[in-house]
């Protein structure tokens, strides 16, 4: 109960309380009006409620940092929907639809005017950190209630609000829609975690606006970013990375609505994938609009777009005000960076700023898929297992590109390579007379003859293995070894993407080919 000390005596007094224990959760209290597109006061049939796709994605972002609660004001909701069974049905229906999209609402809090403070009881039951929580609503009354318990209020100016400039507690924010609210909420989360500081992200955003280049963390790998709408800035990315101009870049957005300006058409299947998998490690290739410069897409009529699942990346894109074109922040053909140190090591001073956001949690690049009305083609295995995609849109064609069709050069056979020669471990064990390192999936039964061993996951967890893969490769590569022997992992889920990287790192890396590792630009990606 320590976490509630100070709450109870604030009831009715408007006193802000600030005591909270370390193990409490932060909550986001949302009014119905801030998430549904209809005015619930005029609802006769709950099934008529429309959940806008971008609202679903916004809530999926928000729930990563806050537990979600919906505030139901009984009098307003019951004007047309009168009995309590109907109201319960109404709540259940919306909650189920949100759950289908992976949005988990903890509870609908019903309250009537002048009843007990709606947040207090819930906070006690759920061990909520009220001062760390926030309230997103289009009712100034809710924002005031939030202020009474020390929670931050975010007032959404919806079409239903009557007041344009309501009387709000002094630290409240006023935003135009739920997306704005969610991105602010994420910034609050970042302020608390302080790595990197919000002021550094703002500086990075300014650099991007002025045509500069910033390396930034995403949930997959670090990206080397430029304003996607500025061809000169994008040209610098190609130069820094020494990437051939035929290899198009991914454009990163901070919310799904940004996609509309970048594409000429958004097929239904693509919208379905966005609704379910963004933000996340999924890049979707779509017909491009004229707004996207040709240099970004290497002259193709399509553009690859993704919304990263990382608070630093999303805040950077939002604050810069432009979509960000970014390949992985490594030299062309080399191992992707999953730590800021990897970026410094490979690109050094060539970049205007490197935002350090710690280690990338997924650790392997995004899955790339091209989607049209009639077909979906997998262009790169990656952080979202293909089985998950197929569960939603049915069978996906696998397109293995060759050097004869280098439109998606990430598919070229030689890629993701450390400088040290790498071979795959098989029955014909290599002669270990030289300085050899072992890259093992789980703890090896024998590491005899190896001077260094990297274990990807002691417990055999493929997610952990993916997150460790590039870090382990970077480490082995820095040890002046003569050979890296890598073991393949089980070929399921993320294992397919891991093995894809290992096979391509090993391409040309046979025991007899430990001489020069330099390959021509045409064979790298
Ligand atoms: O996780 C990721 O995807 C990271 C982070 C930074 O977002 N980015 C990344 O970018 O891996 P990059 O440039 O290293 O790989 C992008 C891949 C390349 O294989 C490229 O050929 C392909 O996406 N690609 C980009 N635009 C394309 C398009 N219009 N059609 C087909 N393939 C495309
Ligand atoms: Mg790359």
């Amino acid at each position: 109960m320590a976490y509630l000390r100070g709450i109870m005596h604030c009831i009715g007094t408007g006193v802000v309380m600030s005591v909270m224990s370390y193990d409490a959760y932060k909550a986001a209290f949302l009014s119905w009006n801030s998430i549904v597109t209809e005015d619930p006061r005029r609802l006769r049939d709950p099934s008529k409620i429309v959940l806008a796709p971008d609202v679903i994605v916004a809530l999926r972002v928000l729930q990563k940092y806050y537990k979600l609660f919906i505030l139901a004001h009984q009098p307003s909701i019951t004007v047309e929907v009168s009995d309590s069974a109907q109201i319960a049905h109404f709540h259940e229906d919306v909650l189920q639809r949100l759950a289908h999209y992976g949005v988990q609402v903890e509870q609908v809090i019903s309250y009537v005017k002048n009843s007990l403070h709606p947040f207090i009881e819930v906070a006690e039951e759920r061990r909520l950190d009220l001062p760390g929580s926030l309230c997103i609503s289009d009712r100034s009354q809710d924002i005031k209630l939030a202020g009474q318990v020390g929670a931050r209020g975010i007032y959404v100016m919806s079409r239903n609000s009557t007041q344009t400039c309501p009387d709000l507690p002094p630290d409240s924010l006023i935003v135009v829609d739920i997306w704005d609210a969610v991105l602010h909420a994420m910034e609050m989360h970042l302020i608390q975690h302080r790595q990197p500081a919000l002021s550094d992200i703002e500086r990075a955003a300014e650099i991007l606006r002025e045509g500069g280049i910033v390396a930034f963390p995403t949930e997959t790998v670090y990206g080397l970013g430029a304003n996607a709408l500025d061809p000169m800035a994008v040209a610098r990315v190609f130069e820094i990375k020494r990437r051939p101009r035929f290899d198009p870049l991914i454009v990163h957005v901070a919310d799904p609505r940004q996609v509309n300006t970048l594409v000429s058409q958004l097929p239904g299947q693509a919208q379905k994938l966005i609704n379910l998998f963004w933000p996340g490690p999924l890049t979707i290739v779509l017909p491009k609009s004229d707004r996207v410069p040709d240099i970004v897409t290497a002259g193709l009529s399509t553009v690859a777009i993704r919304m990263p699942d990382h608070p630093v990346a999303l805040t950077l894109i939002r604050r810069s005000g432009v979509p960000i074109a970014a390949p992985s922040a490594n030299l062309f053909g080399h191992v992707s960076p999953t730590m800021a140190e990897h970026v410094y090591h490979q690109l050094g001073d060539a970049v205007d700023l490197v935002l350090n956001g710690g280690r990338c949690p997924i650790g392997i690049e995004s899955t790339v898929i091209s989607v049209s009305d009639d077909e979906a083609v997998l262009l790169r295995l990656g952080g979202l297992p293909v089985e998950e995609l197929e569960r939603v849109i049915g069978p996906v064609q696998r397109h293995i590109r060759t050097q004869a069709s280098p439109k998606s050069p990430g598919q070229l056979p030689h890629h993701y390579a450390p400088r040290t020669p790498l071979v795959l471990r098989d029955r014909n064990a290599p002669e270990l007379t030289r300085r050899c390192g072992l890259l093992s999936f789980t703890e090896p039964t024998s590491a005899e003859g190896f001077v260094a061993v990297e274990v990807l996951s002691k417990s055999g967890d493929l997610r952990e293995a993916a997150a460790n893969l590039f870090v382990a490769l970077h480490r082995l590569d820095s040890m002046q070894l003569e050979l890296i022997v890598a073991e393949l992992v089980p070929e399921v889920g993320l294992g397919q993407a891991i093995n894809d990287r290992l096979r391509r790192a090993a391409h040309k890396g046979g025991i007899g080919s430990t001489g020069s590792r330099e390959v021509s630009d045409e064979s790298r990606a």
Side-chain angles (χ1 to χ4, degrees), residues 216 218-224 241 243 246-250 252 281 283 285-286 296-297 300-304 306 308 326-330 336 364-368 370 379-380 401 406-411 415-416 525:
F216 62 98
T218 79
E219 81 282 27
T220 57
V221 299
Y222 275 73
L224 185 65
K241 206 180 140 86
R243 178 174 176 126
F246 64 69
D247 192 355
L249 306 184
I250 295 173
H252 297 70
T283 296
V285 175
L286 295 162
V296 173
T297 64
L300 296 176
S301 58
T302 53
V303 58
R306 118 177 169 85
S328 48
N330 51 286
S336 293
I364 205 157
E365 300 89 341
S366 62
T367 300
V368 182
S370 123
L379 298 174
R380 178 174 74 182
R401 291 190 187 267
K407 280 186 180 165
S408 189
Q411 287 296 331
H415 196 52
Y416 310 106

Short mmCIF file of all heavy atoms in Angstrom, two decimals, residues 216 218-224 241 243 246-250 252 281 283 285-286 296-297 300-304 306 308 326-330 336 364-368 370 379-380 401 406-411 415-416 525, ligand 1:
data_model
loop_
_atom_site.label_atom_id
_atom_site.label_comp_id
_atom_site.label_asym_id
_atom_site.label_seq_id
_atom_site.Cartn_x
_atom_site.Cartn_y
_atom_site.Cartn_z
N PHE A 216 20.46 6.89 -36.06
CA PHE A 216 19.50 6.79 -34.96
C PHE A 216 19.10 5.34 -34.72
O PHE A 216 19.13 4.51 -35.63
CB PHE A 216 18.25 7.65 -35.27
CG PHE A 216 17.50 7.20 -36.50
CD1 PHE A 216 16.37 6.39 -36.38
CD2 PHE A 216 17.92 7.57 -37.77
CE1 PHE A 216 15.66 5.97 -37.51
CE2 PHE A 216 17.23 7.14 -38.91
CZ PHE A 216 16.11 6.34 -38.78
N THR A 218 16.71 2.12 -34.05
CA THR A 218 15.35 1.61 -34.26
C THR A 218 15.30 0.28 -33.50
O THR A 218 16.31 -0.13 -32.94
CB THR A 218 14.99 1.38 -35.75
OG1 THR A 218 15.58 0.15 -36.18
CG2 THR A 218 15.46 2.53 -36.64
N GLU A 219 14.15 -0.38 -33.52
CA GLU A 219 14.07 -1.65 -32.81
C GLU A 219 14.84 -2.75 -33.55
O GLU A 219 15.16 -3.78 -32.97
CB GLU A 219 12.60 -2.05 -32.61
CG GLU A 219 11.92 -2.70 -33.80
CD GLU A 219 11.50 -1.70 -34.89
OE1 GLU A 219 12.13 -0.63 -35.01
OE2 GLU A 219 10.54 -2.02 -35.62
N THR A 220 15.15 -2.54 -34.84
CA THR A 220 15.86 -3.58 -35.60
C THR A 220 17.37 -3.32 -35.57
O THR A 220 18.11 -4.03 -34.90
CB THR A 220 15.36 -3.61 -37.06
OG1 THR A 220 15.55 -2.31 -37.64
CG2 THR A 220 13.92 -4.03 -37.14
N VAL A 221 17.81 -2.29 -36.28
CA VAL A 221 19.24 -1.92 -36.31
C VAL A 221 19.30 -0.39 -36.37
O VAL A 221 18.26 0.27 -36.54
CB VAL A 221 19.95 -2.52 -37.55
CG1 VAL A 221 19.90 -4.05 -37.54
CG2 VAL A 221 19.37 -1.99 -38.86
N TYR A 222 20.48 0.19 -36.22
CA TYR A 222 20.61 1.65 -36.36
C TYR A 222 20.44 2.04 -37.83
O TYR A 222 20.89 1.33 -38.73
CB TYR A 222 21.97 2.13 -35.84
CG TYR A 222 21.99 2.36 -34.34
CD1 TYR A 222 21.98 1.29 -33.45
CD2 TYR A 222 21.97 3.65 -33.82
CE1 TYR A 222 21.98 1.50 -32.08
CE2 TYR A 222 21.97 3.87 -32.44
CZ TYR A 222 21.96 2.79 -31.58
OH TYR A 222 21.95 3.00 -30.24
N GLY A 223 19.77 3.18 -38.04
CA GLY A 223 19.59 3.68 -39.40
C GLY A 223 20.44 4.91 -39.64
O GLY A 223 20.82 5.62 -38.69
N LEU A 224 20.76 5.16 -40.91
CA LEU A 224 21.54 6.34 -41.29
C LEU A 224 20.57 7.26 -42.01
O LEU A 224 20.26 7.07 -43.19
CB LEU A 224 22.68 5.91 -42.21
CG LEU A 224 23.68 6.99 -42.63
CD1 LEU A 224 24.45 7.50 -41.43
CD2 LEU A 224 24.68 6.41 -43.65
N LYS A 241 27.74 5.79 -46.95
CA LYS A 241 27.61 4.34 -46.83
C LYS A 241 28.36 3.59 -47.94
O LYS A 241 28.51 2.39 -47.89
CB LYS A 241 26.10 4.01 -46.89
CG LYS A 241 25.72 2.73 -46.20
CD LYS A 241 24.26 2.47 -46.29
CE LYS A 241 24.02 0.99 -46.52
NZ LYS A 241 23.96 0.15 -45.37
N ARG A 243 27.25 3.17 -50.90
CA ARG A 243 26.20 2.28 -51.41
C ARG A 243 25.93 2.63 -52.87
O ARG A 243 25.82 3.80 -53.22
CB ARG A 243 24.94 2.50 -50.59
CG ARG A 243 23.72 1.69 -51.00
CD ARG A 243 22.66 1.96 -49.96
NE ARG A 243 21.39 1.36 -50.21
CZ ARG A 243 20.75 0.59 -49.33
NH1 ARG A 243 21.31 0.31 -48.18
NH2 ARG A 243 19.56 0.13 -49.59
N PHE A 246 21.87 2.00 -57.25
CA PHE A 246 20.76 1.14 -57.70
C PHE A 246 20.01 0.52 -56.53
O PHE A 246 19.01 -0.14 -56.70
CB PHE A 246 21.23 0.05 -58.67
CG PHE A 246 22.18 -0.97 -58.09
CD1 PHE A 246 21.75 -1.88 -57.14
CD2 PHE A 246 23.51 -1.03 -58.53
CE1 PHE A 246 22.61 -2.82 -56.62
CE2 PHE A 246 24.38 -1.98 -58.01
CZ PHE A 246 23.93 -2.87 -57.04
N ASP A 247 20.50 0.74 -55.31
CA ASP A 247 19.91 0.07 -54.15
C ASP A 247 19.01 1.05 -53.38
O ASP A 247 19.51 1.93 -52.67
CB ASP A 247 21.05 -0.44 -53.25
CG ASP A 247 20.54 -1.39 -52.19
OD1 ASP A 247 19.31 -1.58 -52.08
OD2 ASP A 247 21.37 -1.94 -51.45
N PRO A 248 17.68 0.92 -53.50
CA PRO A 248 16.77 1.92 -52.91
C PRO A 248 16.75 1.89 -51.38
O PRO A 248 17.12 0.90 -50.76
CB PRO A 248 15.41 1.50 -53.46
CG PRO A 248 15.54 0.06 -53.79
CD PRO A 248 16.97 -0.18 -54.17
N LEU A 249 16.30 3.02 -50.80
CA LEU A 249 16.28 3.16 -49.34
C LEU A 249 14.86 2.98 -48.79
O LEU A 249 13.88 3.19 -49.51
CB LEU A 249 16.76 4.56 -48.94
CG LEU A 249 18.11 5.02 -49.48
CD1 LEU A 249 18.45 6.39 -48.89
CD2 LEU A 249 19.20 4.02 -49.13
N ILE A 250 14.80 2.67 -47.51
CA ILE A 250 13.50 2.58 -46.83
C ILE A 250 13.16 3.96 -46.27
O ILE A 250 14.02 4.65 -45.72
CB ILE A 250 13.57 1.56 -45.67
CG1 ILE A 250 13.79 0.14 -46.21
CG2 ILE A 250 12.30 1.61 -44.82
CD1 ILE A 250 14.04 -0.91 -45.14
N HIS A 252 11.14 6.04 -43.48
CA HIS A 252 10.58 5.79 -42.15
C HIS A 252 9.56 6.87 -41.79
O HIS A 252 9.83 8.06 -41.98
CB HIS A 252 11.70 5.78 -41.11
CG HIS A 252 12.69 4.67 -41.34
ND1 HIS A 252 13.57 4.66 -42.40
CD2 HIS A 252 12.92 3.53 -40.65
CE1 HIS A 252 14.31 3.56 -42.35
NE2 HIS A 252 13.94 2.85 -41.30
N PRO A 281 8.88 -4.39 -37.15
CA PRO A 281 9.92 -4.72 -38.13
C PRO A 281 9.36 -5.19 -39.47
O PRO A 281 9.72 -6.26 -39.95
CB PRO A 281 10.73 -5.81 -37.43
CG PRO A 281 9.74 -6.47 -36.55
CD PRO A 281 8.76 -5.43 -36.11
N THR A 283 8.64 -3.77 -43.41
CA THR A 283 8.72 -2.74 -44.45
C THR A 283 7.81 -3.15 -45.59
O THR A 283 7.87 -4.29 -46.05
CB THR A 283 10.18 -2.62 -44.94
OG1 THR A 283 10.98 -2.18 -43.85
CG2 THR A 283 10.29 -1.64 -46.09
N VAL A 285 6.54 -2.42 -49.48
CA VAL A 285 6.89 -1.76 -50.75
C VAL A 285 5.58 -1.47 -51.50
O VAL A 285 4.79 -2.38 -51.76
CB VAL A 285 7.83 -2.66 -51.59
CG1 VAL A 285 8.10 -2.04 -52.95
CG2 VAL A 285 9.15 -2.88 -50.83
N LEU A 286 5.38 -0.18 -51.83
CA LEU A 286 4.10 0.27 -52.42
C LEU A 286 4.37 1.18 -53.61
O LEU A 286 5.46 1.77 -53.72
CB LEU A 286 3.35 1.07 -51.35
CG LEU A 286 2.89 0.27 -50.13
CD1 LEU A 286 2.56 1.18 -48.97
CD2 LEU A 286 1.68 -0.58 -50.49
N VAL A 296 15.72 8.27 -53.84
CA VAL A 296 15.35 7.42 -52.70
C VAL A 296 15.02 6.01 -53.18
O VAL A 296 15.40 5.01 -52.56
CB VAL A 296 14.14 8.02 -51.95
CG1 VAL A 296 13.62 7.07 -50.87
CG2 VAL A 296 14.49 9.37 -51.35
N THR A 297 14.30 5.92 -54.28
CA THR A 297 13.80 4.62 -54.74
C THR A 297 14.68 4.04 -55.86
O THR A 297 14.30 3.06 -56.48
CB THR A 297 12.36 4.76 -55.27
OG1 THR A 297 12.37 5.63 -56.42
CG2 THR A 297 11.44 5.35 -54.22
N LEU A 300 13.00 3.32 -59.10
CA LEU A 300 11.87 2.38 -59.17
C LEU A 300 10.55 3.14 -59.01
O LEU A 300 10.53 4.24 -58.46
CB LEU A 300 11.97 1.33 -58.06
CG LEU A 300 13.17 0.38 -58.09
CD1 LEU A 300 13.16 -0.52 -56.86
CD2 LEU A 300 13.11 -0.47 -59.36
N SER A 301 9.47 2.51 -59.46
CA SER A 301 8.17 3.16 -59.31
C SER A 301 7.55 2.83 -57.96
O SER A 301 6.41 3.19 -57.68
CB SER A 301 7.24 2.71 -60.43
OG SER A 301 7.13 1.30 -60.36
N THR A 302 8.29 2.12 -57.12
CA THR A 302 7.77 1.76 -55.80
C THR A 302 8.64 2.38 -54.71
O THR A 302 9.80 2.70 -54.93
CB THR A 302 7.79 0.23 -55.62
OG1 THR A 302 9.11 -0.24 -55.91
CG2 THR A 302 6.79 -0.46 -56.50
N VAL A 303 8.04 2.51 -53.52
CA VAL A 303 8.80 3.02 -52.38
C VAL A 303 8.59 2.07 -51.19
O VAL A 303 7.48 1.57 -50.98
CB VAL A 303 8.38 4.47 -52.02
CG1 VAL A 303 6.90 4.58 -51.71
CG2 VAL A 303 9.20 5.02 -50.86
N ALA A 304 9.68 1.81 -50.46
CA ALA A 304 9.60 0.94 -49.28
C ALA A 304 9.37 1.82 -48.05
O ALA A 304 10.09 2.80 -47.84
CB ALA A 304 10.90 0.15 -49.13
N ARG A 306 8.38 2.06 -43.73
CA ARG A 306 8.18 1.36 -42.47
C ARG A 306 8.03 2.34 -41.32
O ARG A 306 8.56 3.44 -41.35
CB ARG A 306 9.31 0.35 -42.28
CG ARG A 306 10.22 0.51 -41.10
CD ARG A 306 11.22 -0.65 -41.07
NE ARG A 306 12.28 -0.40 -40.10
CZ ARG A 306 12.17 -0.69 -38.81
NH1 ARG A 306 11.07 -1.24 -38.35
NH2 ARG A 306 13.16 -0.44 -37.97
N PRO A 308 9.02 2.50 -37.55
CA PRO A 308 9.81 1.76 -36.57
C PRO A 308 9.16 1.76 -35.19
O PRO A 308 8.42 2.68 -34.85
CB PRO A 308 11.14 2.53 -36.53
CG PRO A 308 10.84 3.88 -37.09
CD PRO A 308 9.64 3.76 -37.97
N ALA A 326 16.33 6.01 -44.65
CA ALA A 326 17.47 5.49 -43.89
C ALA A 326 17.76 4.04 -44.23
O ALA A 326 16.90 3.18 -44.03
CB ALA A 326 17.20 5.61 -42.39
N PRO A 327 18.98 3.78 -44.71
CA PRO A 327 19.43 2.38 -44.77
C PRO A 327 20.04 2.04 -43.41
O PRO A 327 20.13 2.91 -42.53
CB PRO A 327 20.54 2.45 -45.83
CG PRO A 327 21.11 3.82 -45.68
CD PRO A 327 19.97 4.71 -45.21
N SER A 328 20.45 0.80 -43.23
CA SER A 328 21.16 0.47 -42.00
C SER A 328 22.46 1.27 -41.97
O SER A 328 23.07 1.52 -43.02
CB SER A 328 21.43 -1.03 -41.96
OG SER A 328 21.98 -1.48 -43.18
N ALA A 329 22.89 1.67 -40.76
CA ALA A 329 24.01 2.63 -40.65
C ALA A 329 25.37 1.92 -40.65
O ALA A 329 26.20 2.15 -39.77
CB ALA A 329 23.84 3.46 -39.39
N ASN A 330 25.58 1.07 -41.65
CA ASN A 330 26.86 0.38 -41.79
C ASN A 330 27.42 0.68 -43.18
O ASN A 330 26.69 1.16 -44.05
CB ASN A 330 26.66 -1.13 -41.66
CG ASN A 330 25.56 -1.64 -42.58
OD1 ASN A 330 24.37 -1.44 -42.31
ND2 ASN A 330 25.94 -2.26 -43.69
N SER A 336 25.32 -5.05 -40.04
CA SER A 336 24.49 -3.92 -39.57
C SER A 336 24.79 -3.60 -38.11
O SER A 336 25.11 -4.49 -37.32
CB SER A 336 23.01 -4.27 -39.69
OG SER A 336 22.66 -4.37 -41.04
N ILE A 364 17.85 -7.50 -35.79
CA ILE A 364 17.96 -7.98 -37.17
C ILE A 364 17.05 -7.09 -38.02
O ILE A 364 16.03 -6.60 -37.52
CB ILE A 364 17.59 -9.49 -37.23
CG1 ILE A 364 18.23 -10.18 -38.40
CG2 ILE A 364 16.10 -9.72 -37.21
CD1 ILE A 364 18.36 -11.67 -38.22
N GLU A 365 17.40 -6.84 -39.27
CA GLU A 365 16.66 -5.87 -40.08
C GLU A 365 15.21 -6.29 -40.30
O GLU A 365 14.85 -7.45 -40.11
CB GLU A 365 17.32 -5.69 -41.46
CG GLU A 365 18.75 -5.19 -41.41
CD GLU A 365 19.77 -6.30 -41.32
OE1 GLU A 365 19.40 -7.43 -40.94
OE2 GLU A 365 20.94 -6.05 -41.62
N SER A 366 14.41 -5.32 -40.76
CA SER A 366 12.99 -5.58 -40.96
C SER A 366 12.75 -6.58 -42.10
O SER A 366 13.57 -6.73 -43.00
CB SER A 366 12.26 -4.27 -41.29
OG SER A 366 12.77 -3.73 -42.49
N THR A 367 11.60 -7.23 -42.03
CA THR A 367 11.12 -8.06 -43.13
C THR A 367 10.63 -7.10 -44.22
O THR A 367 9.97 -6.12 -43.91
CB THR A 367 9.94 -8.93 -42.63
OG1 THR A 367 10.43 -9.74 -41.56
CG2 THR A 367 9.35 -9.80 -43.73
N VAL A 368 10.99 -7.37 -45.48
CA VAL A 368 10.53 -6.49 -46.57
C VAL A 368 9.55 -7.27 -47.45
O VAL A 368 9.86 -8.38 -47.90
CB VAL A 368 11.72 -5.98 -47.43
CG1 VAL A 368 11.22 -5.04 -48.53
CG2 VAL A 368 12.76 -5.27 -46.57
N SER A 370 6.55 -6.79 -50.71
CA SER A 370 5.90 -5.90 -51.66
C SER A 370 4.45 -6.37 -51.80
O SER A 370 4.18 -7.57 -51.89
CB SER A 370 6.67 -5.94 -52.98
OG SER A 370 5.86 -6.31 -54.02
N LEU A 379 10.49 -9.92 -50.07
CA LEU A 379 11.76 -9.51 -50.67
C LEU A 379 12.94 -9.71 -49.72
O LEU A 379 14.09 -9.78 -50.15
CB LEU A 379 11.70 -8.03 -51.07
CG LEU A 379 10.65 -7.68 -52.13
CD1 LEU A 379 10.58 -6.19 -52.34
CD2 LEU A 379 10.97 -8.38 -53.44
N ARG A 380 12.68 -9.72 -48.42
CA ARG A 380 13.77 -9.98 -47.47
C ARG A 380 13.19 -10.59 -46.21
O ARG A 380 12.21 -10.09 -45.67
CB ARG A 380 14.49 -8.66 -47.12
CG ARG A 380 15.61 -8.86 -46.10
CD ARG A 380 16.42 -7.60 -45.85
NE ARG A 380 15.71 -6.62 -45.04
CZ ARG A 380 16.19 -5.42 -44.71
NH1 ARG A 380 17.40 -5.05 -45.14
NH2 ARG A 380 15.50 -4.60 -43.98
N ARG A 401 16.12 -12.77 -55.20
CA ARG A 401 16.72 -11.98 -56.27
C ARG A 401 18.12 -12.47 -56.57
O ARG A 401 18.81 -12.99 -55.71
CB ARG A 401 16.75 -10.51 -55.88
CG ARG A 401 15.36 -9.94 -55.85
CD ARG A 401 15.40 -8.47 -55.72
NE ARG A 401 14.06 -7.96 -55.53
CZ ARG A 401 13.29 -7.55 -56.52
NH1 ARG A 401 13.70 -7.58 -57.76
NH2 ARG A 401 12.08 -7.10 -56.27
N PRO A 406 18.96 -7.01 -59.81
CA PRO A 406 19.35 -6.43 -58.52
C PRO A 406 18.47 -5.28 -58.06
O PRO A 406 18.96 -4.27 -57.61
CB PRO A 406 20.78 -5.95 -58.80
CG PRO A 406 20.76 -5.58 -60.24
CD PRO A 406 19.70 -6.39 -60.91
N LYS A 407 17.15 -5.45 -58.18
CA LYS A 407 16.27 -4.33 -57.79
C LYS A 407 16.17 -4.20 -56.28
O LYS A 407 15.87 -3.15 -55.76
CB LYS A 407 14.89 -4.53 -58.38
CG LYS A 407 14.82 -4.12 -59.82
CD LYS A 407 13.40 -4.21 -60.30
CE LYS A 407 13.31 -3.79 -61.75
NZ LYS A 407 12.05 -4.19 -62.33
N SER A 408 16.34 -5.28 -55.58
CA SER A 408 16.31 -5.22 -54.12
C SER A 408 17.61 -5.84 -53.65
O SER A 408 17.64 -6.98 -53.21
CB SER A 408 15.11 -5.98 -53.58
OG SER A 408 14.98 -5.76 -52.21
N PRO A 409 18.71 -5.09 -53.76
CA PRO A 409 20.02 -5.72 -53.61
C PRO A 409 20.28 -6.30 -52.24
O PRO A 409 21.26 -7.01 -52.05
CB PRO A 409 21.00 -4.59 -53.92
CG PRO A 409 20.19 -3.62 -54.72
CD PRO A 409 18.83 -3.70 -54.14
N GLY A 410 19.42 -6.03 -51.28
CA GLY A 410 19.55 -6.72 -50.00
C GLY A 410 19.45 -8.22 -50.19
O GLY A 410 19.77 -8.99 -49.31
N GLN A 411 18.95 -8.65 -51.34
CA GLN A 411 18.82 -10.07 -51.62
C GLN A 411 20.02 -10.65 -52.34
O GLN A 411 20.02 -11.81 -52.69
CB GLN A 411 17.56 -10.32 -52.45
CG GLN A 411 16.27 -10.17 -51.66
CD GLN A 411 16.16 -11.21 -50.57
OE1 GLN A 411 16.69 -12.29 -50.70
NE2 GLN A 411 15.50 -10.86 -49.49
N HIS A 415 26.32 -10.62 -48.45
CA HIS A 415 25.79 -9.47 -47.72
C HIS A 415 26.06 -9.68 -46.24
O HIS A 415 26.42 -10.77 -45.81
CB HIS A 415 24.28 -9.41 -47.97
CG HIS A 415 23.67 -8.09 -47.60
ND1 HIS A 415 24.16 -6.90 -48.05
CD2 HIS A 415 22.62 -7.78 -46.82
CE1 HIS A 415 23.41 -5.92 -47.57
NE2 HIS A 415 22.48 -6.43 -46.81
N TYR A 416 25.91 -8.63 -45.44
CA TYR A 416 26.02 -8.73 -43.99
C TYR A 416 27.34 -9.36 -43.56
O TYR A 416 27.40 -10.12 -42.62
CB TYR A 416 24.89 -9.59 -43.40
CG TYR A 416 23.53 -9.18 -43.89
CD1 TYR A 416 22.83 -9.94 -44.82
CD2 TYR A 416 22.95 -8.01 -43.42
CE1 TYR A 416 21.58 -9.55 -45.25
CE2 TYR A 416 21.71 -7.62 -43.85
CZ TYR A 416 21.03 -8.39 -44.77
OH TYR A 416 19.81 -8.01 -45.19
N ALA A 525 25.73 -5.72 -50.75
CA ALA A 525 24.47 -5.00 -50.59
C ALA A 525 24.39 -4.39 -49.21
O ALA A 525 25.08 -4.79 -48.33
CB ALA A 525 23.31 -5.93 -50.80
O1 LIG B 1 15.30 -2.75 -40.27
C1 LIG B 1 15.53 -2.14 -41.30
O2 LIG B 1 14.89 -2.33 -42.35
C2 LIG B 1 16.66 -1.10 -41.26
C3 LIG B 1 16.24 0.04 -40.34
C4 LIG B 1 17.23 1.15 -40.31
O3 LIG B 1 14.97 0.49 -40.70
N1 LIG B 1 16.94 -0.63 -42.58
C5 LIG B 1 17.55 -1.37 -43.51
O4 LIG B 1 17.76 -0.67 -44.69
O5 LIG B 1 17.88 -2.52 -43.33
P1 LIG B 1 18.70 -1.23 -45.86
O6 LIG B 1 18.80 -0.10 -46.81
O7 LIG B 1 19.94 -1.71 -45.28
O8 LIG B 1 17.85 -2.35 -46.52
C6 LIG B 1 16.69 -2.01 -47.25
C7 LIG B 1 16.31 -3.14 -48.16
C8 LIG B 1 17.32 -3.30 -49.27
O9 LIG B 1 17.47 -4.68 -49.49
C9 LIG B 1 16.65 -2.62 -50.45
O10 LIG B 1 17.09 -3.17 -51.65
C10 LIG B 1 15.18 -2.92 -50.18
O11 LIG B 1 15.06 -2.81 -48.77
N2 LIG B 1 14.31 -1.94 -50.82
C11 LIG B 1 14.17 -0.63 -50.55
N3 LIG B 1 13.30 -0.04 -51.39
C12 LIG B 1 12.83 -1.01 -52.20
C13 LIG B 1 11.90 -1.03 -53.29
N4 LIG B 1 11.28 0.06 -53.71
N5 LIG B 1 11.69 -2.22 -53.91
C14 LIG B 1 12.33 -3.33 -53.50
N6 LIG B 1 13.23 -3.37 -52.49
C15 LIG B 1 13.48 -2.23 -51.85
#
